[in-house]
Amino acid sequence: MPAGRVPGRKPGGGGLPPRVPRTEPRGGRPRPPARRPAPPRRSGPRRVRRRPARADHRIRVRVVRILLVIGLIATGVKLVQVQAFEAPALSAKSQRQRSATVDVQAVRGSIVDRNGSPLAFSVEVRTLSYRPQAMRKQWDQAAAKHPGQFDNYEAHSAKLAQRMQDVLGVDAHQMLAKLRSAAKFVYLVNNIDPSKARTITDEFPEVSAEVRAVRDYPGHNLASNIVGVANWRMDDPDTRNHNLHGLSGLESSLDLMLAGTPGHQVVDTEEGDDGVVIPGTVRQTQAAVDGSDVVLTIDGDVQYYLQEHLAAFAKKAGAHSASAVIMDAHTGEVYALANDKSFDPNKPTYDNAAMANPAVSNPYEPGSVNKVVTALASIEYGITTPTAVHEVPGQIQVADRTVHDAWSHGLLQMTTTGIFAKSSNVGTLELAQRVGPDRFSDMLKRLGLGQRTGIGLPGESPGSVPPRSQWSGSTFGNLPIGQGLSMTVLQMASMYQTVANDGVRVPPRIISAEVRPDGSRVQMPRPQGIRVVKPQTAITVRNMLRAVTQGAPYPNSGTAPQAALPGYQVSGKTGTAQQINPVTHTYSNSNYWITFAGILPADSPRFVVGIVLDRPVYTSPDGHSAAPLFHDVASFLAQKYNIPLSKTETPVVTLQLPS
């Protein structure tokens, strides 16, 4: 290139070369390309330009902001409403949803004898329950979701049934039938020992254990006709009353005293009423008040002896039934009250007939034991004396009735004592006629006949005595010899308690005291004594009745020498009452009530014993008198209570003068 030439400049040209647009700025950064010139306007109608998208975005933002503000305002209003105005109600509702009221059962009181030996008491047990439908669904779902890790319900229920058989001794097949049933809820087994129930529920938590109680009767049939039976009852709509309740006997009549008052407590649970109680959440507790213990006048040893020997004697005599009572001569306290048939309240089923208590509920015609009424009245009103002699024919006419003695005889010279010791119907009616119907009727009332004794045992019968206004001419030919009226063996013994207690009748009682839950002992009020006859009248009659057990050469032997107890003076009276034939409605010559009432000892009374046999085999050696049983009972009582021997022997008295 020639010197002086500049690159890019044309030779001979003047000035600078034409400027070339720079596409790359200094420093290496690219420059934007030059803007194209705007195209020339076209002629024609003007086109409307669209609003830019940026404007629509701004509107949406504004709308969203407005909605957010509205939402925040609504939320604030609701928050104020909930926290300020609805807070108490919602809090209470929440509390109810996670809280439950748990009933607290009261412990039923015990029944004990006069020595404190238990006749009935409560034992806490468990009842196991299950929810088959829910458990089947749960186990099958778990088995399907985790194959190999969980059993299906068939396998799980089989394991549970087998485990219950091993621990509880129940039949696995029966348990399996309940576990696999379509029911929502089933009871599996009742009355399980708490420790054994815990073994099952620890291994199988889905099994529920309800706290219950059972009544235990350690003597089994001992005094069962008196005590009765109680079992768990759930028939009351109020679940608080689901507890042990009496079905019969004192368990029933004293149910309120024994049952106590249930309580309750409020607790929080994990899942409401069906959840687990959260520890430490117990509140608003109303404590249960346990029932009171009841102390009876019964002596368990005496009761056992009387029950066993009465049943054996009734069987030996061929009697359909038998009842007996042993009573304190002065206080009227019942030491034993027995029937030949009893039941075991520990067993799950009971014989309704055996649960009855005929000693207080079944009246009978007493027969000659009722002659004590005439004896008391004739001595009280000065009509006769023990040694007075009476001419007693073989029969007597009373209105349209002809009454005979139990043995055939002509005119006899009998003392007053002899009339009752030899049980002469004719001689008794002669004395009763001198007493008169009005005074005789009054004596029946004083002795409590035709009235309940008020002993406190359920089902007590008042017996039956025709009102004086309804007596016919022949009525007074029946009542003095123990026909045409009825009484229970308890009422019969009460009559002789009057004689033993120097003329004061003390209504019998069998409940001695109440022992409250705090340990305080409340004695039951003793019945007020009722003066029936003067003391000397009762003593005279008691001495006259010693001759009943007198064994002497004919004709001075009484009707029950088998009742005599060596070393003791014994007063008593036999009875043989014809029963009504249900077909002919006349007195039977083969079916009898055989009775005996006795006082031990006669010179210092301690006990009164009453016995009745229903339709024994009268022709058998043991079927025509209850005196031998009295002898055995009196001998037992004398030994058990160390009753002192009588100071003098029973004197032998004249009953009938020689012809």
Side-chain angles (χ1 to χ4, degrees):
M1 175 179 298
R5 169 115 19 129
V6 178
R9 180 177 294 178
K10 294 180 178 181
L16 296 175
R19 194 179 180 93
V20 180
R22 186 180 297 272
T23 59
E24 189 173 316
R26 294 182 182 89
R29 288 191 303 176
R31 297 183 64 180
R35 181 180 298 178
R36 291 183 180 181
R41 286 186 178 181
R42 296 180 181 179
S43 61
R46 184 178 180 180
R47 187 168 57 182
V48 178
R49 296 178 62 186
R50 290 184 178 180
R51 180 175 295 176
R54 186 174 183 182
D56 292 340
H57 175 70
R58 289 188 184 123
I59 293 174
R60 285 197 298 271
V61 169
R62 290 190 185 99
V63 171
V64 171
R65 286 176 178 174
I66 293 171
L67 292 176
L68 286 174
V69 171
I70 294 174
L72 289 172
I73 294 173
T75 302
V77 171
K78 185 64 176 178
L79 187 62
V80 172
Q81 179 185 2
V82 170
Q83 292 187 344
F85 299 103
E86 297 183 358
L90 291 175
S91 177
K93 183 177 180 180
S94 173
Q95 184 70 22
R96 288 194 300 270
Q97 289 177 342
R98 65 185 180 90
S99 67
T101 300
V102 179
D103 295 331
V104 180
Q105 301 297 341
V107 177
R108 188 175 182 85
S110 300
I111 300 176
V112 301
D113 76 349
R114 67 186 305 114
N115 302 311
S117 300
L119 299 172
F121 62 91
S122 298
V123 178
E124 187 176 299
V125 294
R126 299 290 184 270
T127 290
L128 301 184
S129 60
Y130 202 70
R131 294 178 295 164
Q133 279 190 8
M135 290 300 101
R136 178 183 293 276
K137 180 179 179 181
Q138 178 177 325
W139 279 94
D140 286 347
Q141 287 178 348
K145 189 175 181 179
H146 304 283
Q149 296 184 26
F150 292 94
D151 293 331
N152 61 21
Y153 187 69
E154 299 298 312
H156 179 74
S157 59
K159 290 181 180 178
L160 173 55
Q162 184 59 47
R163 186 58 175 153
M164 292 181 69
Q165 177 174 284
D166 296 340
V167 176
L168 307 179
V170 297
D171 184 82
H173 296 291
Q174 293 181 0
M175 290 300 102
L176 200 58
K178 293 183 178 182
L179 294 171
R180 293 178 178 177
S181 70
K184 291 183 178 180
F185 177 88
V186 293
Y187 284 113
L188 298 177
V189 60
N190 295 317
N191 305 337
I192 298 301
D193 180 86
S195 62
K196 293 182 178 181
R198 192 179 306 112
T199 299
I200 297 297
T201 56
D202 286 348
E203 297 181 23
F204 300 89
E206 69 271 23
V207 177
S208 299
E210 296 181 12
V211 178
R212 292 192 182 179
V214 294
R215 206 65 165 158
D216 187 62
Y217 301 89
H220 297 276
N221 69 335
L222 179 66
S224 60
N225 304 93
I226 300 170
V227 174
V229 62
N231 62 5
W232 189 270
R233 302 277 292 280
M234 300 177 65
D235 49 357
D236 196 312
D238 189 347
T239 58
R240 292 175 300 174
N241 293 328
H242 292 179
N243 206 333
L244 290 168
H245 291 288
L247 292 176
S248 66
L250 292 175
E251 291 274 34
S252 175
S253 62
L254 300 179
D255 193 59
L256 291 178
M257 182 185 297
L258 291 165
T261 305
H264 67 267
Q265 58 188 18
V266 179
V267 298
D268 288 343
T269 61
E270 293 180 356
E271 300 176 7
D273 290 342
D274 296 327
V276 178
V277 175
I278 300 173
T281 62
V282 178
R283 61 193 181 279
Q284 298 180 16
T285 300
Q286 177 180 324
V289 179
D290 293 340
S292 296
D293 293 342
V294 175
V295 182
L296 303 184
T297 61
I298 294 293
D299 185 312
D301 293 339
V302 178
Q303 179 70 31
Y304 177 81
Y305 182 92
L306 185 62
Q307 278 189 218
E308 292 297 307
H309 284 72
L310 176 68
F313 191 85
K315 183 178 181 180
K316 186 168 62 173
H320 285 66
S321 64
S323 298
V325 60
I326 300 174
M327 185 186 301
D328 187 284
H330 302 292
T331 66
E333 293 180 350
V334 175
Y335 276 60
L337 185 99
N339 305 285
D340 67 310
K341 298 178 181 65
S342 57
F343 71 104
D344 185 352
N346 291 313
K347 293 183 177 180
T349 58
Y350 320 113
D351 180 358
N352 290 335
M355 292 173 67
N357 194 359
V360 297
S361 62
N362 289 14
Y364 56 89
E365 291 196 359
S368 294
V369 290
N370 198 54
K371 290 175 181 176
V372 70
V373 180
T374 301
L376 288 169
S378 60
I379 298 298
E380 177 76 0
Y381 297 121
I383 290 170
T384 188
T385 63
T387 58
V389 178
H390 307 271
E391 291 187 346
V392 180
Q395 64 184 41
I396 186 173
Q397 191 74 24
V398 181
D400 59 347
R401 287 199 60 201
T402 301
V403 180
H404 301 266
D405 276 335
W407 74 102
S408 298
H409 63 80
L411 188 66
L412 299 177
Q413 301 291 319
M414 302 182 72
T415 64
T416 303
T417 299
I419 287 174
F420 296 108
K422 299 185 74 67
S423 199
S424 169
N425 294 331
V426 176
T428 300
L429 288 175
E430 288 182 332
L431 290 172
Q433 288 177 342
R434 294 171 63 183
V435 170
D438 291 335
R439 290 192 295 191
F440 186 88
S441 175
D442 181 61
M443 186 62 69
L444 291 173
K445 292 179 181 178
R446 292 191 203 177
L447 289 167
L449 300 182
Q451 311 162 38
R452 291 182 178 87
T453 66
I455 190 173
L457 292 173
E460 184 186 8
S461 170
S464 176
V465 175
R468 173 69 182 91
S469 59
Q470 296 179 12
W471 289 14
S472 64
S474 60
T475 300
F476 206 44
N478 285 338
L479 299 182
I481 60 175
Q483 292 182 334
L485 78 167
S486 65
M487 63 184 68
T488 64
V489 70
L490 185 65
Q491 290 173 312
M492 181 182 76
S494 183
M495 282 198 305
Y496 284 80
Q497 181 272 327
T498 303
V499 178
N501 195 35
D502 294 347
V504 176
R505 178 171 63 88
V506 180
R509 66 187 186 115
I510 204 167
I511 302 171
S512 176
E514 171 192 0
V515 180
R516 294 177 176 170
D518 60 2
S520 60
R521 185 184 180 100
V522 180
Q523 291 294 133
M524 293 294 104
R526 291 191 175 188
Q528 291 293 324
I530 302 162
R531 171 63 66 183
V532 177
V533 294
K534 295 187 291 289
Q536 190 56 50
T537 297
I539 294 171
T540 299
V541 171
R542 190 165 71 231
N543 289 338
M544 287 168 54
L545 295 180
R546 293 180 303 186
V548 172
T549 65
Q550 176 174 291
Y554 179 85
N556 290 317
S557 178
T559 57
Q562 309 97 316
L565 187 64
Y568 295 92
Q569 294 186 15
V570 173
S571 294
K573 186 70 189 77
T574 56
T576 303
Q578 295 171 291
Q579 295 192 11
I580 298 293
N581 187 316
V583 177
T584 63
H585 301 288
T586 59
Y587 282 108
S588 170
N589 291 320
S590 58
N591 293 331
Y592 299 92
W593 298 104
I594 301 299
T595 54
F596 189 89
I599 300 170
L600 174 76
D603 54 332
S604 181
R606 176 73 188 275
F607 291 107
V608 174
V609 180
I611 303 168
V612 59
L613 305 176
D614 176 13
R615 287 168 291 171
V617 179
Y618 189 70
T619 56
S620 70
D622 301 297
H624 65 276
S625 176
L629 178 58
F630 170 83
H631 169 275
D632 294 344
V633 172
S635 177
F636 171 79
L637 292 172
Q639 294 179 49
K640 176 175 174 56
Y641 293 103
N642 295 316
I643 299 176
L645 296 173
S646 296
K647 295 180 180 180
T648 60
E649 293 184 2
T650 304
V652 177
V653 297
T654 300
L655 306 182
Q656 179 181 323
L657 275 60
S659 301

